[in-house]
């Protein structure tokens, strides 16, 4: 009798394991749900500025979801003033940047840009200038209508972009391909939704740039370049597009990291 009970218990354990294994396979085989496009935030007020707002080193500027404008012309001119200038270690958060937005946000050193939304990107949404080899972060937020780049990386170190949304843009990120000084630059992109983007990132392989991309959702993006590799060039000349990289020494991304919808 005891032997029979033991056999029944053993059989139940095997059946249970098979059921659990089958359930796991079934769950894993289900298609991922479509990424949810975030709701564009509603401004809590307007702040009209006539000059760049500076944020001191290590300080946090919380805009309380007010809409800031207007500087510059909204053109592609690189001589326009920035809306915000962040010193090393500064944080800008909870801001809507209206149009014209000049040259966006300048990060003079390491910085954090959190929950910042650009209604109409002018020259660039943000430019990263840090040369200490540190890390800068874009966390949340979104941008619309960038005819060229959203994030421009002129310094070195690593730019982290996560939980970001952009619509109708040229490139989400570009490692400068013809600045006055060349560096190795790195970018880590995770959990972004891009609608009608021409490129996700652009990097320069001859300078050893590195791009890591995970959880990228492309809407209207069948022709989007995910990780474009360039040959960087001296200032005053144009970099050369080489190819789109997939899982090579510079572009750390696979086809499974990208969802099209």
């Amino acid at each position: 009798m005891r032997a029979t009970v033991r056999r029944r218990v053993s059989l139940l354990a095997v059946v249970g394991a098979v059921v659990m294994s089958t359930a796991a396979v079934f769950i894993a085989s289900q298609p991922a749900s479509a990424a949810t496009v975030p709701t564009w935030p509603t401004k809590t007020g307007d702040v009209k500025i006539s000059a760049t707002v500076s944020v001191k080193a290590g300080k946090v500027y919380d805009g309380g979801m007010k809409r800031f404008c207007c500087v510059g012309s909204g053109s592609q001119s690189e001589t326009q003033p920035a809306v915000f200038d962040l010193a090393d270690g500064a944080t800008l958060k909870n801001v809507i940047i209206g149009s014209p937005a000049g040259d966006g946000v300048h990060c003079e050193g390491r910085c954090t840009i959190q929950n910042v939304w650009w209604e109409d990107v002018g020259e660039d949404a943000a430019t990263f200038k840090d040369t200490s080899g540190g890390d800068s972060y874009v966390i949340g937020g979104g941008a619309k209508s960038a005819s060229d780049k959203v994030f421009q990386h002129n310094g070195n170190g690593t730019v982290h972009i996560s939980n970001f949304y952009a619509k109708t843009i040229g490139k989400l990120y570009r490692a400068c391909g013809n600045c006055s000084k060349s560096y190795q630059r790195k970018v880590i992109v995770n959990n972004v939704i891009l609608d009608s983007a021409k490129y996700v990132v652009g990097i320069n392989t001859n300078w050893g740039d590195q791009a890591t991309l995970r959880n990228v959702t492309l809407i209207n993006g069948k022709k989007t370049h995910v990780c474009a590799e360039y040959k960087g060039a001296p200032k005053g000349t144009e970099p050369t597009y080489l190819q789109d990289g997939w899982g090579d020494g510079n572009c750390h991304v696979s086809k499974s990291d990208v969802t099209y919808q």
Side-chain angles (χ1 to χ4, degrees):
M1 177 68 71
R2 290 179 180 175
T4 301
V5 171
R6 283 196 296 270
R7 284 195 296 272
R8 287 177 179 174
V9 171
S10 177
L11 179 60
L12 287 172
V14 171
V15 171
V18 171
V19 170
M20 292 179 65
S21 176
T22 303
V25 171
F26 175 77
I27 293 171
S29 67
Q30 297 307 296
S33 59
T36 302
V37 174
T39 301
W40 201 265
T42 301
K43 66 181 181 180
T44 59
D46 285 290
V47 179
K48 187 172 183 178
I49 62 174
S50 57
T52 301
V53 177
S54 297
V55 184
K56 294 181 179 180
K59 298 298 183 180
V60 176
Y61 189 101
D62 189 334
M65 297 314 296
K66 290 185 174 64
R67 180 180 182 268
F68 289 72
C69 85
C70 308
V71 296
S73 61
S75 69
Q76 287 296 300
S77 171
E78 296 183 357
T79 61
Q80 298 177 83
V83 181
F84 290 92
D85 188 81
L86 310 183
D88 185 49
T91 295
L92 176 67
K93 63 189 297 186
N94 302 327
V95 166
I96 299 172
I97 297 180
S99 178
D103 202 29
V105 177
H106 286 180
C107 286
E108 303 297 341
R110 299 161 299 168
C111 71
T112 298
I113 301 173
Q114 183 176 356
N115 195 34
V116 174
W117 302 76
W118 289 262
E119 290 182 346
D120 187 346
V121 175
E123 214 291 298
D124 298 313
T127 302
F128 300 91
K129 301 181 177 183
D130 177 50
T131 57
S132 71
D135 295 84
S136 291
Y137 297 86
V138 177
I139 305 169
K144 294 179 182 178
S145 303
S147 58
D148 192 4
K149 307 169 295 295
V150 177
F151 299 119
Q152 171 77 17
H153 195 180
N154 290 351
N156 59 12
T158 305
V159 174
H160 303 254
I161 305 168
S162 62
N163 304 316
F164 194 80
Y165 168 71
K167 183 175 182 178
T168 315
I169 63 170
K171 298 178 179 71
L172 175 66
Y173 166 95
R174 179 66 169 104
C176 186
N178 57 0
C179 283
S180 57
K181 188 171 182 179
S182 60
Y183 299 98
Q184 181 189 45
R185 301 174 175 96
K186 298 179 181 179
V187 62
I188 298 174
V189 176
N190 184 37
N191 195 31
V192 299
I193 302 173
L194 307 181
D195 185 346
S196 305
K198 294 178 182 177
Y199 296 78
V200 182
V201 303
I203 61 173
N204 310 294
T205 56
N206 56 319
W207 296 333
D209 293 350
Q210 303 286 313
T212 302
L213 292 83
R214 300 288 183 268
N215 305 311
V216 175
T217 298
L218 299 177
I219 302 171
N220 302 315
K222 291 295 185 182
K223 296 183 179 180
T224 300
H225 298 271
V226 174
C227 188
E229 298 179 340
Y230 292 83
K231 181 180 179 181
K235 187 174 179 64
T237 58
E238 288 299 314
T240 304
Y241 169 77
L242 301 174
Q243 63 184 4
D244 278 16
W246 290 95
D248 58 19
N250 299 94
C251 288
H252 306 287
V253 58
S254 66
K255 299 293 179 69
S256 63
D257 293 311
V258 182
T259 301
Y260 297 88
Q261 67 178 56

